Amino acid sequence: MNECYYDKRMDFFYNRTKADTADEWTGPQLIGVLCFGTFFCLFIFISNSLVIAAVVKNKRFHFPFYYLLANLAAADFFAGIAYVFLMFNTGPVSKTLTVNRWFLRQGLLDTSLTASLVNLLVIAVERHMSIMRMKIHSNLTKKRVTFLIISIWAIAIFMGAVPTLGWNCLCDITVCSSLAPIYSRSYLVFWSVLNLVVFFIMVVVYIRIYMYVQRKTNVLSSHTSGSISRRRTPVKLMKTVMTVLGAFVVCWTPGLVVLLLDGLNCTDCGIQNVKRWFLLLALLNSVMNPIIYSYKDDEMWATMKRMICCSSEDKSQERRSSRIPSTVLCRSTDISGHYIEDGIIQGTICGKGDLGDKGNS
């Protein structure tokens, strides 16, 4: 029977795997990493809080897609909490941690990644439901969206707790990982392959949907400009979602590949030399998402700006189109970017007329 090591501290496992935890995390370099991480974590907390508040405050965002977008921001906010906990429990401190505290540290990171990944997958389904019908928003009810959000977090918490529940190497240290000294290598292979496969599936789905919309738009190019605009509307949302997905894949794929190599016991891959940089790259993903939202969606940025400046602007414009489901305000005079829902031209939302009130009266 194999001996279990639940009562050992992490120095026992780090020394056994010869993982460097102190030499490169002392002095000025440690201070620099902490300052860098603290700044970006504060930005993550503030910016993602603004995204969530914007969705709650602006009635134009009260649709399934934006609820899920707010939940993605909540996942990024949670990731910020995980990074803060990691910062103060890493480096020389790592070897002093108990097994349970180390499980908590890694479980927070795994939960935040799973929450973001599953949320993006649900958004892909929501986009498929709406865009294949050439609609801006799907017909998901608030109850179903609430159920989906609860399910996302239930799955994320479960996946983050899997190693704690037993899939670890505490009772068989011969299969311990190098990067995660109390994780089983088989778990790392499962974890990384599962995430990479989901990445690939989502990319394929979004490319397929985008090509479908483009093809439909070209077929209908002989129709009126309003009809073209109505059918091009989903493309605008697709660009935002694909940008968010692209940033997620770029930021997380290198780290997952490193975990996969470690799970495959690649001793000559130099994974110890790059693990921290890939972790910082993953941190940047939670920084980038709020920037993408505000850059791609003018109304999101306008709402966030009003909250930042605490200005009492005239609310008549918001009331004029509060019942019109919109996604992005028109950026310029490009008529193809104007949003239409049931024949109502987005120019109304941009203040070009009162068709919104007439259509809703």
Side-chain angles (χ1 to χ4, degrees):
M1 180 180 293
N2 292 331
E3 181 181 359
C4 296
Y5 299 91
Y6 292 102
D7 57 338
K8 297 288 186 180
R9 288 193 174 271
M10 289 305 300
D11 58 344
F12 171 81
F13 301 97
Y14 278 115
N15 291 335
R16 188 181 181 284
T17 58
K18 299 179 181 180
D20 53 329
T21 58
D23 295 341
E24 298 181 10
W25 287 85
T26 56
Q29 186 170 3
L30 177 60
I31 296 176
V33 170
L34 290 176
C35 291
F36 180 85
T38 301
F39 171 78
F40 280 107
C41 285
L42 287 175
F43 181 84
I44 289 172
F45 292 143
I46 296 172
S47 58
N48 284 287
S49 296
L50 285 173
V51 172
I52 297 172
V55 173
V56 173
K57 180 178 180 181
N58 195 329
K59 293 182 179 180
R60 299 177 189 174
F61 297 148
H62 291 185
F63 296 95
F65 171 80
Y66 283 104
Y67 293 144
L68 294 172
L69 203 66
N71 192 50
L72 186 61
D76 287 327
F77 186 95
F78 185 84
I81 297 175
Y83 292 132
V84 169
F85 191 84
L86 173 65
M87 280 193 303
F88 292 98
N89 291 276
T90 192
V93 182
S94 296
K95 290 188 175 184
T96 66
L97 298 178
T98 62
V99 167
N100 289 333
R101 192 172 181 85
W102 194 94
F103 271 136
L104 176 61
R105 190 189 82 172
Q106 298 304 121
L108 291 174
L109 291 173
D110 294 346
T111 299
S112 65
L113 170 60
T114 305
S116 297
L117 182 62
V118 178
N119 204 94
L120 283 171
L121 186 59
V122 173
I123 290 177
V125 175
E126 191 274 343
R127 288 295 84 201
H128 186 276
M129 292 171 58
S130 59
I131 290 177
M132 288 304 177
R133 296 182 178 90
M134 297 307 295
K135 292 182 178 181
I136 299 177
H137 299 289
S138 66
N139 295 325
L140 286 174
T141 63
K142 288 186 178 180
K143 288 185 178 180
R144 290 181 179 179
V145 174
T146 302
F147 173 77
L148 287 173
I149 291 175
I150 294 175
S151 299
I152 288 170
W153 284 102
I155 294 172
I157 293 172
F158 173 76
M159 291 301 295
V162 166
T164 309
L165 297 175
W167 200 344
N168 54 60
C169 63
L170 291 176
C171 294
D172 187 5
I173 59 176
T174 60
V175 298
C176 285
S177 159
S178 174
L179 293 179
I182 56 177
Y183 275 12
S184 172
R185 289 198 299 270
S186 61
Y187 173 75
L188 289 187
V189 172
F190 163 78
W191 171 257
S192 54
V193 169
L194 176 63
N195 284 280
L196 290 172
V197 169
V198 175
F199 283 1
F200 178 77
I201 291 174
M202 287 193 296
V203 170
V204 171
V205 169
Y206 279 120
I207 291 176
R208 178 181 177 275
I209 295 175
Y210 187 81
M211 293 176 64
Y212 171 83
V213 175
Q214 290 286 58
R215 185 170 65 252
K216 285 290 185 180
T217 302
N218 293 333
V219 170
L220 297 168
S221 60
S222 60
H223 290 199
T224 63
S225 60
S227 178
I228 295 174
S229 297
R230 183 172 63 252
R231 288 163 174 77
R232 285 183 178 175
T233 296
V235 180
K236 293 289 186 178
L237 263 184
M238 282 302 302
K239 290 181 178 179
T240 300
V241 177
M242 291 180 71
T243 303
V244 172
L245 176 62
F248 187 82
V249 171
V250 169
C251 290
W252 280 100
T253 298
L256 291 174
V257 171
V258 166
L259 288 178
L260 177 60
L261 293 175
D262 187 28
L264 296 175
N265 200 25
C266 181
T267 57
D268 299 324
C269 297
I271 54 179
Q272 292 287 348
N273 299 326
V274 296
K275 62 179 183 180
R276 296 183 181 91
W277 299 108
F278 289 164
L279 181 61
L280 291 176
L281 183 61
L283 168 65
L284 287 178
N285 178 242
S286 298
V287 175
M288 293 169 60
N289 283 342
I291 298 174
I292 295 172
Y293 306 150
S294 59
Y295 176 75
K296 288 289 186 178
D297 193 325
D298 286 348
E299 186 162 356
M300 177 70 75
W301 166 243
T303 304
M304 294 169 64
K305 187 177 180 180
R306 284 197 297 270
M307 290 188 295
I308 294 173
C309 299
C310 298
S311 60
S312 55
E313 297 181 357
D314 184 13
K315 297 182 180 180
S316 61
Q317 181 178 356
E318 181 177 343
R319 288 195 299 269
R320 190 157 51 234
S321 56
S322 62
R323 296 181 183 179
I324 302 176
S326 66
T327 54
V328 185
L329 290 178
C330 53
R331 290 183 177 273
S332 62
T333 58
D334 180 11
I335 188 65
S336 65
H338 293 179
Y339 280 41
I340 296 180
E341 177 73 3
D342 297 330
I344 300 176
I345 303 179
Q346 177 67 18
T348 302
I349 299 175
C350 296
K352 295 183 179 179
D354 293 324
L355 293 177
D357 284 338
K358 293 178 182 179
N360 291 318
S361 61

